[in-house]
Amino acid sequence: MNLVFLGPPGSGKGTQAKKLAEKLGYVHLSTGDVLRQAVADGTELGKKADGYMKAGELVPDDLIIGLIEEQVSAGKLKNGFILDGFPRTIPQAESLRDMLKKYQVSLDKAVLLDVGEDEIMKRLLNRAKIEGRPDDTEDVIKNRIEVYKQQTAPIVEFYKGESILQTVRGEDTPENVFNALLQVAQ
Ligand code: ADP
C-alpha cells in the first residue's frame, strides 16, 4: 500500500507516519525531516530552504518536486511507502500523480489526519517549549497554519476527486489515532 499523509502542522502526522511505517515495514519519507537535515548539513538544498522554513513559508515547488522525483526514479518509493509532508500544494500533487504514472507506481490512499485549529495551536505552542524547533514560535506557527489553509487544504479536494481520500479523526489519544490509521493503512 502506498500512501500520502495530509494534515495541518501539529496534527501528529509526522509521529504517526513514522510509527506506522515501522509497524508495517513501509518506507517513511518526511520532506520536513529531509529539509531540516539538509539545513543542518549546510547542503545547497539546505541553504535554499532555510529562510523559507524559518518564516513558516513553503519552499519552492521545483526544489521539493525534484527531491521526490529523485526518490521515485531511483526506485526507492515503490512497494509500501508513506509520504509525510508531501504533496503540500496542488502543483506538487499533480507532479506526484504524473511521476508515479511515469514510473508505474500506484498511490492507494491519501489519509487526512483531521485536527481543529485551536487544538493545533495549543499543541504547537506546547511542542515549542519541549523541542525548540526554530519554526515553532507563535508568529511562525500562525503563518504555517495560514499557509496550510491557503496552499495545502485544497489538495484534500484533489484527492477526493481521485477517490482515494480517507479521513481519520486526529483529536484523540495517540494510541487511538494510531489504531484508526492502522485500519486504513493496510
Ligand atoms: P509541519 O507539518 O509541522 O509544518 P514539516 O516538518 O512537515 O512540519 O515541514 C516543516 C517545513 O518544511 C515547512 O513549513 C516548509 O517550510 C518545509 N516543507 C516541508 N515539506 C514541504 C513541501 N512539500 N513543500 C514545501 N515546503 C515544505
Side-chain angles (χ1 to χ4, degrees):
M1 178 96 66
N2 297 328
L3 311 164
V4 299
F5 261 39
L6 311 172
S11 57
K13 74 181 151 39
T15 313
Q16 295 286 357
K18 185 163 177 276
K19 255 184 86 181
L20 204 62
E22 272 165 21
K23 170 100 181 172
L24 298 174
Y26 294 173
V27 170
H28 170 226
L29 182 64
S30 156
T31 44
D33 285 352
V34 171
L35 292 171
R36 276 185 289 278
Q37 190 61 50
V39 172
D41 293 344
T43 64
E44 278 309 305
L45 174 67
K47 282 181 204 151
K48 286 181 189 151
D50 194 26
Y52 296 103
M53 294 175 75
K54 283 207 179 91
E57 295 291 331
L58 297 182
V59 308
D61 280 338
D62 57 339
L63 278 185
I64 204 88
I65 289 167
L67 197 140
I68 298 291
E69 182 144 30
E70 273 172 30
Q71 300 287 313
V72 178
S73 65
K76 292 190 179 153
L77 298 176
K78 212 158 58 185
N79 304 315
F81 65 75
I82 301 178
L83 284 181
D84 159 15
F86 181 92
R88 241 180 169 96
T89 63
I90 292 281
Q92 290 182 18
E94 290 171 345
S95 299
L96 179 66
R97 178 193 58 201
D98 295 348
M99 71 177 93
L100 291 179
K101 194 167 174 204
K102 179 171 159 197
Y103 293 97
Q104 295 179 309
V105 176
S106 68
L107 183 62
D108 302 295
K109 282 178 188 170
V111 183
L112 170 66
L113 202 49
D114 196 21
V115 179
E117 197 170 329
D118 290 350
E119 174 68 16
I120 281 162
M121 197 69 203
K122 219 165 62 190
R123 288 186 190 178
L124 289 171
L125 286 172
N126 197 40
R127 183 172 81 185
K129 289 188 214 136
I130 301 162
E131 291 181 13
R133 236 172 78 168
D135 59 352
D136 274 349
T137 61
E138 187 163 354
D139 282 351
V140 177
I141 289 170
K142 282 193 179 137
N143 195 38
R144 281 159 60 210
I145 293 174
E146 205 44 45
V147 166
Y148 176 81
K149 286 201 255 183
Q150 301 283 335
Q151 300 188 60
T152 306
I155 69 179
V156 171
E157 291 304 313
F158 176 91
Y159 285 120
K160 257 189 213 163
E162 305 255 301
S163 306
I164 57 168
L165 185 77
Q166 296 245 349
T167 302
V168 168
R169 203 172 76 89
E171 289 190 45
D172 205 334
T173 63
E175 293 74 26
N176 288 347
V177 174
F178 183 70
N179 287 325
L181 287 170
L182 256 186
Q183 300 293 317
V184 303
Q186 54 182 345

